[in-house]
């Protein structure tokens, strides 16, 4: 028992030391001791082990404060690689990233309506290809997918788009690849990506709204990703916003998702374009079966009044949803991600207007709403962040 406690303390200290070095480049051993409260000998012992493992390196000398100049430390960014997988898009996306979230190799595979076992085979396929490309030891594999995911046990409770129910994804993949596997909801992981690698780096509280084919949110509270009691925190896409609304993928009617997603925007754009000869999409809508997100963006940028109205409408609806979330949590930093964020200020400005009109000024005065700069890599980076936190204690 005593031995177990000692080992536990040791592992805890090592994670503490590594986390400090990761976030404070060019720090000395004495600096780590000062900032962590650990003794200098404990820090030295742990730093020696981290150097042996190749995770930390001595990178030169700092200025002397009278005595010997201190040796500076940093994390070796390429000491390990992480595989991050995004199952939330129209295609499965995967990448190898280093310890700082730099993407080193990527693979996208078309899903082509595969679900159930066929979709799972595609997951094996993409991971196989990435594992073959790894050229330094792999720290683990992180996966982001829409749905209710028990991130603790790695069980997908329900992912409608993939037709997976109660599927122990982490266990199945662990057995096959003999690597640590972590899986969580894509919107939750997007918030983690923003916190770890985005412009909101280490902002203690932030809320991310991901609007693409689906709509979901992720919340960082006190520097921790908040999963909720049943891992469903942020499932805002299925809040009913309309009586007698449209049928949603979840089986209910009038969900927020049916009025906010990229699917809604494309549908509405086509409908309006067919009725309006002025619309840049008019000819297009009449001839083509499907309007893509890119077509809508092009029309928006070309000044199509129909599309501009839709984006404004969606932005206002987003702002309305945010009034509840912001009033409940009082979080200043709001980040918008997902394909619908491509409309930028056109989406955000009406959202901010609605948000300011619908909340106490004390809550909305310091709001910062912006589009994530992580783009299409956001779920991959969040997945990598989850591995980084679980395996090395870096967060
Ligand atoms: Zn729904």
């Amino acid at each position: 028992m005593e031995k177990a406690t000692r080992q536990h303390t040791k592992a805890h200290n090592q994670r503490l030391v590594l986390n400090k070095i990761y976030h404070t480049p060019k720090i000395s051993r004495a600096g780590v001791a000062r900032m962590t409260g650990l003794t200098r000998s404990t820090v030295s012992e742990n730093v020696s082990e981290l150097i042996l493992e190749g995770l930390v390196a001595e990178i030169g000398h700092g200025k002397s404060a009278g005595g010997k100049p201190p040796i500076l430390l940093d994390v070796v960014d390429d000491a390990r690689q992480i595989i991050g997988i995004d199952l939330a898009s129209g295609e499965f996306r995967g990448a190898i990233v280093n310890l700082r979230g730099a993407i080193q190799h990527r693979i996208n595979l078309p899903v082509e309506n595969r679900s159930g076992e066929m979709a799972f085979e595609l997951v094996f396929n993409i991971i196989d290809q990435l594992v073959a490309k790894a050229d330094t030891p792999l720290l683990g594999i992180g996966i982001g997918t829409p749905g209710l995911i028990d991130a603790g046990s790695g069980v997908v409770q329900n992912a409608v788009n993939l037709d997976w129910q109660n599927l122990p994804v982490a266990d199945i993949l662990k057995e096959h690849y003999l690597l640590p596997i972590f899986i969580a909801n894509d919107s939750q992981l997007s918030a983690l990506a923003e916190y770890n690698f985005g412009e909101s780096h280490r902002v203690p509280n932030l809320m991310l709204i991901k609007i693409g084919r689906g709509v979901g949110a992720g919340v960082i509270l006190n520097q921790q990703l908040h999963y909720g009691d049943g891992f469903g925190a942020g499932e805002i896409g299925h809040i009913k916003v309309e009586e007698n609304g449209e049928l949603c993928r979840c089986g209910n009617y009038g969900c927020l998702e049916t009025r906010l997603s990229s699917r809604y925007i494309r549908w509405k754009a086509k409908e309006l374009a067919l009725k309006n000869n002025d619309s840049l999409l008019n000819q297009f809508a009449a001839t083509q079966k499907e309007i893509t997100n890119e077509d809508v963006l092009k029309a928006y940028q070309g000044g199509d009044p129909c599309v501009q109205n839709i984006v404004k409408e969606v932005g206002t609806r987003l702002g309305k949803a945010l009034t509840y979330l912001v009033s409940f949590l009082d979080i200043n930093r709001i980040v918008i991600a997902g394909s619908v964020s491509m409309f930028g200020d056109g989406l955000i400005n009406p959202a901010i207007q609605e948000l300011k009109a619908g909340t106490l000024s004390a809550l909305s005065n310091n709001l910062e709403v912006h589009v994530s700069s992580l783009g299409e890599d956001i779920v991959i980076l969040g997945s990598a962040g989850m591995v980084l936190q679980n395996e090395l204690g870096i967060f």
Side-chain angles (χ1 to χ4, degrees), residues 192-202 370 372-374 381:
L192 190 63
E194 188 63 26
Y195 173 83
N196 273 333
F197 305 115
E199 284 170 81
S200 309
H201 184 59
R202 306 200 91 204
H370 70 90
S372 171
S373 59
L374 299 176
L381 290 174

Side-chain angles (χ1 to χ4, degrees), residues 237-239 248-253 255-258:
H238 303 286
I239 296 173
C248 177
R249 294 188 293 175
C250 71
N252 291 337
Y253 289 85
C255 294
L256 180 62
E257 187 172 299
T258 65

